[in-house]
Amino acid sequence: MTSPDLREKWSAARVRAAHQAPYLATALLSLDPVMVTGTSGELRRFPTDPGWHVYVGIEELARQSVQEVAFWLVHQVTHLLRAHARRYPGGVLEPQREEQHTWNLATDAEINDDLPPDLPPEPATPARLGLPDGWTAEQYWHALRENQPYPPIAPGDCGSGCDGLPRAWDHDLPPAISPTTARLTALDTARRIRERLNAQDDVPAGWRRWADQLLEPSVNWRHHLSAKVRHGLTQAAGRVDYTYRRPSRRAAALPGVVLPSLRQALPSVTVLIDTSGSITETMLARALAEVTGVLGAVGIGRRLLTVITCDARAYRPQTLTRISDLHLDGGGGTDLRAGFAAALATRPPPDLIVAITDGRTPWPHHPPRTRVIVALLDPAGRAPEWAETVRVGGAS
């Protein structure tokens, strides 16, 4: 049991956190404290788990100031609201400590890019990592992995609430709130952010972006994806060329002159499929079936449809008679740049590329000349600005 002084300190820190970020008040009050002894140092960040428990080290609560504890409460509830545990891109069967540390840095950078300068010395910020503000955790993750070694940052652990992987201090407790309640809490927080913005302009940009993404009106992704693919095919099919295989109808007006006729070729399509370990087969099957259904409806036969699977590398192109013939190579890391390179290396290059992915990948720095549609399977994923994006959901 904690002393009355420490309980009062805990309550004061939670009130201070809610005062600093009033739009997070409901989420902060949803945290269920679990008091832990004998783990001095390991719990200095007051880590959480996906069940919305916050692990309060008695020694750390006594050592840190109310302001420091309040900072960590805001920090940890942000990990939970932004679903960082579900978004973790590293290995889960044989997790590597380095992967966990890199993801913790990446998520911290996403959280801390717009906080005031008087931070505790430990948290990572994009500036301290030599990276731009405003990126997603997935972007910071890939940048940190590609730009080793990154600047030294004091090691810290935000717990399984950051990556979903169990910790030694985690207790086998029922969730403090159900997944449905957690989702409703996130929606309530997003609405509070919108209300706060209507009253005064003091909400950080990162929270504004998050609320906009969460509250964007839901659409029937199947209709949206079909419309995008059809539009892309129409644009590609609008291109015409001259051919001498068939004489022009105007040739009779000019005896002795061979005039070419106009030829409108069917567009070729490459479907680029992300087969990294983070992709679920259910959503992949839904999106692929929708794309191939649209292509079949507009007359794109198997001769003009190429499928390339890609994880960290691109696999051999496949032409399919049936979807059941598709062989999904891959299952490792993710780098769709290899897939784009393979698609554009074909001669002639495709008129349309449809990329089906969760968005947890680096993208080509420069837009290809070919039209690109991204079917984004994960709402937390990212697609490049130069692509047309359809967010593929589980409903409708």
Side-chain angles (χ1 to χ4, degrees):
M1 294 293 292
T2 57
S3 67
D5 288 345
L6 287 183
R7 288 198 296 269
E8 183 178 345
K9 188 176 188 179
W10 171 257
S11 299
R14 187 142 63 173
V15 170
R16 184 183 180 93
H19 177 74
Q20 290 176 340
Y23 40 86
L24 300 181
T26 301
L28 288 165
L29 291 174
S30 298
L31 291 173
D32 183 28
V34 178
M35 300 299 172
V36 183
T37 58
T39 54
S40 179
E42 291 183 323
L43 302 182
R44 64 182 178 274
R45 291 189 171 201
F46 297 86
T48 57
D49 64 25
W52 285 66
H53 301 106
V54 54
Y55 292 91
V56 182
I58 302 299
E59 298 87 345
E60 289 299 319
L61 182 59
R63 183 182 67 83
Q64 297 190 33
S65 67
V66 169
Q67 180 179 354
E68 289 176 307
V69 178
F71 168 80
W72 287 119
L73 289 178
V74 172
H75 183 91
Q76 296 298 346
V77 85
T78 305
H79 280 303
L80 297 175
L81 287 170
R82 299 190 184 182
H84 285 156
R86 180 173 56 80
R87 293 162 57 185
Y88 174 57
V92 293
L93 296 180
E94 296 182 2
Q96 301 296 319
R97 180 59 188 162
E98 184 61 30
E99 284 187 340
Q100 291 176 264
H101 178 57
T102 302
W103 179 245
N104 209 149
L105 286 177
T107 55
D108 284 357
E110 180 189 271
I111 292 172
N112 298 331
D113 66 347
D114 50 17
L115 290 180
D118 56 340
L119 296 175
E122 184 179 335
T125 63
R128 291 174 184 172
L129 294 170
L131 297 171
D133 288 344
W135 281 7
T136 64
E138 287 77 11
Q139 289 174 289
Y140 289 123
W141 157 269
H142 288 297
L144 290 172
R145 286 165 64 89
E146 291 174 0
N147 301 325
Q148 298 278 8
Y150 41 74
I153 300 289
D157 193 342
C158 290
S160 56
C162 174
D163 55 31
L165 303 175
R167 300 297 196 273
W169 57 78
D170 284 356
H171 286 49
D172 187 16
L173 298 170
I177 60 176
S178 68
T180 300
T181 303
R183 173 67 175 174
L184 293 175
T185 301
L187 290 171
D188 177 73
T189 302
R191 283 192 289 267
R192 286 173 178 267
I193 289 172
R194 287 277 179 87
E195 293 171 358
R196 183 79 178 182
L197 285 171
N198 292 334
Q200 48 190 316
D201 188 23
D202 63 348
V203 179
W207 280 116
R208 299 183 192 188
R209 291 191 297 268
W210 175 80
D212 288 341
Q213 293 171 359
L214 199 64
L215 295 177
E216 65 181 5
S218 60
V219 297
N220 187 316
W221 66 266
R222 292 180 175 86
H223 294 169
H224 195 193
L225 180 58
S226 298
K228 289 286 187 183
V229 174
R230 289 176 187 272
H231 180 68
L233 293 174
T234 300
Q235 293 288 99
R239 296 193 294 267
V240 295
D241 199 357
Y242 292 98
T243 179
Y244 286 93
R245 291 185 177 181
R246 185 178 62 191
S248 171
R249 295 179 179 178
R250 295 175 294 172
L254 296 171
V257 178
V258 179
L259 295 177
S261 61
L262 290 175
R263 176 178 65 90
Q264 184 180 47
L266 280 174
S268 59
V269 180
T270 293
V271 178
L272 183 59
I273 302 178
D274 182 348
T275 52
S276 60
S278 58
I279 297 291
T280 63
E281 292 186 4
T282 301
M283 290 309 300
L284 183 60
R286 288 180 181 176
L288 182 59
E290 195 66 26
V291 171
T292 53
V294 173
L295 298 178
V298 296
I300 302 298
R302 60 181 181 272
R303 185 175 56 85
L304 298 171
L305 173 62
T306 302
V307 178
I308 297 177
T309 59
C310 178
D311 50 14
R313 67 185 182 92
Y315 296 87
R316 61 177 182 81
Q318 303 176 57
T319 55
L320 307 175
T321 305
R322 299 181 304 273
I323 290 296
S324 58
D325 295 335
L326 176 64
H327 183 66
L328 295 176
D329 299 296
T334 314
D335 191 344
L336 284 189
R337 293 176 298 186
F340 275 95
L344 297 172
T346 59
R347 290 293 178 268
D351 298 297
L352 176 68
I353 295 176
V354 180
I356 303 175
T357 176
D358 62 0
R360 301 177 183 179
T361 175
W363 296 93
H365 294 297
H366 302 290
R369 294 183 179 180
T370 298
R371 192 181 189 93
V372 176
I373 297 171
V374 176
L376 203 59
L377 304 178
D378 188 338
R382 181 186 67 89
E385 294 181 355
W386 41 259
E388 295 187 71
T389 305
V390 179
R391 297 186 179 275
V392 176
S396 66

